[in-house]
Amino acid sequence: GTSGLKLTERKFAKRTAERLPGLSLSRSLSVNGFSASQEPRRTEHNHQQPETAAAMKIEEVKSTNKTERIASHSHVKGLGLNDAGDADPVAAGFIGQEKAREAAGIAVDMIKTKKMAGRAILFAGAPGTGKTAIALGMAKELGPKVPFVPMVGSEVYSSEVKKVEILMENFRRAIGLRMKENKEVYEGEVIEITPEETENPLGGYGKTVAHVIIGLKTTKGTKQLKLDPSIYESIQKEKVTVGDVIYIEANSGAVKRVGRSDTYATEYDLEAEEYVPLPKGDVHKKKEVVQDVTLHDLDVANARPQGGQDIFSMMNQMSKPKKTEITEKLRMEINKVVSKYIDQGVAELVPGVLFVDEVHMLDLECFTYLNRALESTLSPIVVFATNRGMCTVKGADIVSPHGIPVDLLDRLLIIRTTPYSVEEMAQIVALRAKTEGIEVEADALVTLSTIGERATLRYSVQLLTPAAIVSKTNGRTSIAAGDIEEVDGLFFDAKSSAKLLAEHADRYIH
């Protein structure tokens, strides 16, 4: 593979551009350009004044809200903290756990100020006390630009890849790199495409394109450009015709067809074309492009072995497993290039969050590796969660708090989550019912919270949907206490099932 080769900056830029088409690194070691899939959608509208009141166009504004399936944590919108950093009792989909939320809020502030790289937090508490919910609340508070990588402790066990390799891969996924570049582009509606042909220098009857003259128009004016034949090939690939809105990057020559100019919108009664307004400003303009990639994206882009074009190389590539291990040497080379970008001010490091749920599932080998990984210069913020008390560390005969070795526990800030009270359970059930669009009567909420105290909060929340079906069958629109009792009689929770097993142990196979 190429991982053993010395990575020069030029090779790094070339390989990265090949593997990540949205990321082409120019000679100044900076990111250069979008790919077709990454072109941002235009939100500008045609601001031409209507000539008469009759010509005025009124359009219905469509909702931009994303529609998501309702999951177990759909109601969580953030940590629910006020400006002073104090937790409101009921806010952002959270009820209770004020101290844990405030502690998580401080961690979020440290992450935002980039003062917490390489540190780790542990959420410790009984099952169903909101550990995962608080971690997701942290992700919502940090926003979409900060990488948040969730994983479960058991994910590291693979027959193909080493445990520590999967951990390191997720570490690299959680470190973002924000790259900026001022890019020159020519943008406008095509008003002419004239290829200039010459005799073929190799002889024969054919002619070759010497250059192409293209005319671009914007709201401010028009401009004629003389382009290289290779750019003409890109124009043909994009199927550009007169009347299309395109943009051409000055330093790479990349051509992107944005859509058809909206002056041609009445050309056909029915077609599948996307119409865009005439670009504003001059034809030649400078744009600042910001792109977000992770270190893992760069690793993968530079790790895949480049085979030859012959049949044996292609067969070898097909027979190889898809997942290739990225060597430490390659990562060190990429770190050097990334450090150079950061020193030049071209890129900015964005340490994200790696969330490891059920951390007690990791073994001693993984924990030893985590000690070293947390101390490396490029390290994200790691958030662990566990519901274990004193238990054996996997892969060793050591009994330790939370199933984590003491030397790693020393490095962690531990946040406790406490069991919910009956009142808090009633509020949580009411919130879940609202999220799922289920109407619940007040006495049914009391019954559910009592069941939650007897069994678990998760069990009482899970009874909502079956109870809604029972109430609908009984011809009611809202859930009554009787529906909850009927459903509770049909299903068993973990505690009552275990009790039943203990009582009738002789009837079961051991």
Side-chain angles (χ1 to χ4, degrees):
T2 55
S3 51
L5 297 174
K6 177 86 177 85
L7 251 184
T8 61
E9 283 159 16
R10 196 173 296 164
K11 265 188 196 168
F12 173 81
K14 188 184 173 190
R15 273 190 227 153
T16 305
E18 282 170 5
R19 306 297 184 189
L20 302 170
L23 197 71
S24 52
L25 302 163
S26 66
R27 284 186 299 277
S28 60
L29 293 177
S30 55
V31 173
N32 171 27
F34 314 45
S35 69
S37 61
Q38 285 172 313
E39 167 64 8
R41 280 192 77 96
R42 287 168 191 282
T43 51
E44 54 185 302
H45 301 285
N46 198 353
H47 290 301
Q48 291 174 356
Q49 291 294 320
E51 290 172 17
T52 61
M56 190 176 285
K57 195 176 177 186
I58 298 171
E59 289 182 14
E60 190 180 332
V61 178
K62 288 177 184 173
S63 172
T64 55
N65 289 345
K66 278 188 183 176
T67 52
E68 290 180 3
R69 288 185 68 189
I70 294 166
S72 53
H73 294 110
S74 295
H75 59 285
V76 175
K77 303 285 183 274
L79 288 172
L81 305 175
N82 58 27
D83 295 337
D86 299 325
D88 296 324
V90 181
F94 266 109
I95 288 143
Q97 303 294 1
E98 284 93 344
K99 281 192 175 179
R101 281 156 54 202
E102 283 169 20
I106 292 167
V108 166
D109 289 342
M110 286 197 284
I111 294 163
K112 283 179 178 173
T113 53
K114 296 180 185 168
K115 287 182 180 173
M116 208 186 153
R119 311 240 185 127
I121 292 170
L122 172 67
F123 286 111
T129 52
K131 298 180 292 296
T132 311
I134 294 173
L136 289 170
M138 286 175 73
K140 291 267 167 73
E141 291 284 340
L142 289 165
K145 294 289 181 190
V146 177
F148 183 86
V149 181
M151 69 171 283
V152 184
S154 53
E155 269 180 47
V156 299
Y157 302 105
S158 160
S159 58
E160 286 182 5
V161 188
K162 288 189 296 193
K163 291 174 278 197
V164 292
E165 174 61 28
I166 291 170
L167 273 177
M168 194 60 189
E169 193 178 290
N170 282 312
F171 259 71
R172 305 277 287 183
R173 271 202 184 99
I175 303 166
L177 199 66
R178 187 164 295 153
M179 296 180 158
K180 298 171 190 168
E181 189 197 23
N182 288 320
K183 193 172 62 169
E184 288 186 39
V185 295
Y186 293 91
E187 187 177 32
E189 179 196 323
V190 179
I191 50 173
E192 71 157 317
I193 304 175
T194 316
E196 298 283 336
E197 293 182 335
T198 56
E199 295 295 328
N200 194 331
L202 302 172
Y205 298 104
K207 288 191 174 184
T208 58
V209 175
H211 58 265
V212 61
I213 304 287
I214 192 162
L216 294 177
K217 180 176 86 172
T218 63
T219 51
K220 269 198 175 178
T222 58
K223 197 165 199 159
Q224 254 194 352
L225 305 172
K226 185 178 176 181
L227 304 176
D228 187 74
S230 62
I231 298 177
Y232 182 54
E233 284 172 25
S234 303
I235 289 170
Q236 285 178 313
K237 276 182 190 170
E238 286 280 315
K239 296 185 173 68
V240 174
T241 57
V242 172
D244 289 348
V245 174
I246 66 165
Y247 81 75
I248 305 165
E249 289 174 19
N251 44 3
S252 69
V255 178
K256 171 75 180 78
R257 182 182 182 274
V258 181
R260 194 96 174 120
S261 173
D262 59 5
T263 51
Y264 293 85
T266 54
E267 196 176 12
Y268 302 106
D269 292 333
L270 193 69
E271 39 63 57
E273 189 60 81
E274 186 183 348
Y275 289 101
V276 292
L278 191 68
K280 297 184 178 71
D282 296 314
V283 172
H284 182 230
K285 50 174 79 88
K286 288 183 179 178
K287 281 185 175 181
E288 189 186 55
V289 177
V290 178
Q291 280 196 313
D292 292 292
V293 289
T294 66
L295 293 188
H296 177 66
D297 294 337
L298 298 178
D299 291 346
V300 170
N302 291 280
R304 290 177 199 160
Q306 299 248 336
Q309 294 302 310
D310 62 315
I311 189 72
F312 295 110
S313 299
M314 291 176 85
M315 289 294 286
N316 283 339
Q317 280 180 309
M318 285 167 74
S319 63
K320 276 178 187 169
K322 295 287 177 201
K323 207 162 175 62
T324 50
E325 194 168 313
I326 299 157
T327 61
E328 195 60 33
K329 189 177 180 185
L330 177 76
R331 286 202 174 106
M332 283 170 72
E333 293 290 348
I334 287 171
N335 288 353
K336 279 181 197 170
V337 179
V338 166
S339 300
K340 194 160 188 178
Y341 286 0
I342 294 163
D343 293 343
Q344 289 181 347
V346 171
E348 177 194 356
L349 204 66
V350 185
V353 177
L354 172 63
F355 174 57
V356 187
D357 210 350
E358 312 295 342
V359 70
H360 53 266
M361 288 301 296
L362 298 178
D363 62 9
L364 196 61
E365 192 182 331
C366 295
F367 287 128
T368 314
Y369 188 76
L370 280 172
N371 282 337
R372 189 185 77 86
L374 285 169
E375 286 174 353
S376 67
T377 48
L378 291 174
S379 172
I381 296 90
V382 185
V383 178
F384 298 121
T386 181
N387 53 23
R388 298 295 162 100
M390 295 293 290
C391 68
T392 310
V393 176
K394 203 174 165 75
D397 295 328
I398 313 161
V399 175
S400 182
H402 314 298
I404 301 170
V406 182
D407 58 336
L408 181 61
L409 271 175
D410 245 5
R411 298 162 197 262
L412 308 179
L413 290 169
I414 300 172
I415 298 173
R416 303 285 317 178
T417 53
T418 51
Y420 292 105
S421 65
V422 181
E423 293 80 17
E424 286 172 342
M425 280 186 189
Q427 288 176 305
I428 292 165
V429 172
L431 183 68
R432 281 302 303 173
K434 189 181 174 185
T435 307
E436 292 181 29
I438 298 168
E439 282 185 42
V440 187
E441 290 174 13
D443 56 345
L445 279 176
V446 174
T447 310
L448 277 169
S449 57
T450 312
I451 290 168
E453 190 185 25
R454 184 201 77 207
T456 60
L457 173 63
R458 282 179 182 153
Y459 175 70
S460 61
V461 167
Q462 281 170 341
L463 289 180
L464 277 172
T465 312
I469 293 164
V470 169
S471 70
K472 197 176 178 184
T473 311
N474 294 338
R476 286 192 303 276
T477 54
S478 61
I479 297 170
D483 301 327
I484 300 292
E485 284 159 11
E486 187 181 336
V487 172
D488 189 31
L490 294 171
F491 298 104
F492 279 85
D493 63 273
K495 286 179 185 175
S496 55
S497 181
K499 190 181 173 187
L500 194 75
L501 283 174
E503 286 171 5
H504 305 286
D506 53 327
R507 295 184 191 177
Y508 291 91
I509 298 168
H510 290 284

